[in-house]
Amino acid sequence: LMVGCSSGGNTSAPAAGEGGSGQAASTDEQEIQAKIGVVGFLSGSGAAYGEAQKAGLELALGELNEANKGKLKIELKFEDSAGEKEGAINAVNKLINQDNVVAIIGPTLSGEMFAAGPVANEAETPIFGISNTSEGINDIGEYVFRNSLPESIAIPTAMKAAVEKNGLKKVALIHASNDDFSVNGYKVMKATAEKLGLEITGEATFANGDVDFSAQLTKLKQTNPDALLVSALYKEGSMVVKKARELGFTGTILGGNGFNNPKVFEIAGPAAEGLIVATPFSPEKKDDKVQAFVKAFEAKYNKKPDQFAAQAYDSLYIMSQSLLAAGKAEREELRGQLAQLRDFTGVSGKLSFDEKRNPIGDAVVVVAKEGKFVPFE
Ligand code: PYR
């Protein structure tokens, strides 16, 4: 069925928006149509991560499609992985084989990327992590990218600041042992503690889905640490923080990227006060680009963006820039452009990329104060 489409002779330039697979004769004039898949943790225990990412992407989508009118139109296709490896693999397969997307943004968790990244890589489809902070993400293959600042940069920055300002000497560690991101964060925390000459008084683990952390925290408290280092996603992490305070632990609590979501304040309540986290993004940053983003986000959603929203927002700008440079919505050309990315300044800061496509950037250290994260100074 051809509606409003002139059949036969190619005498006039095709109208913008028609065609779409880059097959038409006058490619100069034609708007590039790019369908991008998104795999997010949109339901379940970490749904607030996926919701923030979706919000950031949809804000960027509106801005970009307006700014690029006549040149590039992006369509986003969202799939929910529910934070599960299997869910991420299924979503990636569907987006590549059924929806024929040019690239995929996500999945949310490092563990999901370790599972689903190889599928996209094998299918020669660019896959772009926006919240995968573990070591080794880019080692999956040449089609795997990310703009999320690795924990190996963020955590040491936060720990150094905490040692200097709070005078830490002894630390205890607790982490989720069945989540790749939490395990990696724990390893970075431990290595950093050793490097900084801190004494490790004790270690404990739990599993995602656990709700009772009393036994582990009681034991750790008895080792008398100055700080508790928590590597976890927001749900379990916030419950750990809450329980530690209930048990009377008054020292410093420091966490990784999993805590960069306002749900922390909902779950931990006043116990969140003083929690130290490193992030590449703070809505409080006095920077024109950041403030314009925060204003637009608040206008659309009536709340401030978090780090997950910010990196999602930036990722679509990177995609747009790379698609325009490629001049067409094709996987191989897009991969080539993404691989050439060396510098990018977004709302989550200035990033450069090493030869393995790993982002390098600065982390800001924030501290929870009266229901929000403010600079730790
Ligand atoms: C990760 O899974 O890598 C996060 O930072 C949450």
Side-chain angles (χ1 to χ4, degrees), residues 145 321 337-345 350-360:
F145 299 86
Q321 181 184 309
Q337 289 300 326
L338 289 169
Q340 281 176 42
L341 200 65
R342 282 295 169 267
D343 286 294
F344 177 80
T345 303
K350 187 171 160 45
L351 284 179
S352 58
F353 295 82
D354 69 13
E355 67 287 349
K356 265 169 107 188
R357 309 170 309 286
N358 269 307
I360 302 161

Side-chain angles (χ1 to χ4, degrees), residues 61-80:
L61 182 71
E63 293 175 1
L64 285 164
N65 281 345
E66 185 59 33
N68 292 332
K69 244 187 195 144
K71 289 187 286 185
L72 168 66
K73 184 160 192 293
I74 297 176
E75 182 196 332
L76 295 178
K77 183 92 184 52
F78 289 90
E79 290 292 332
D80 178 15

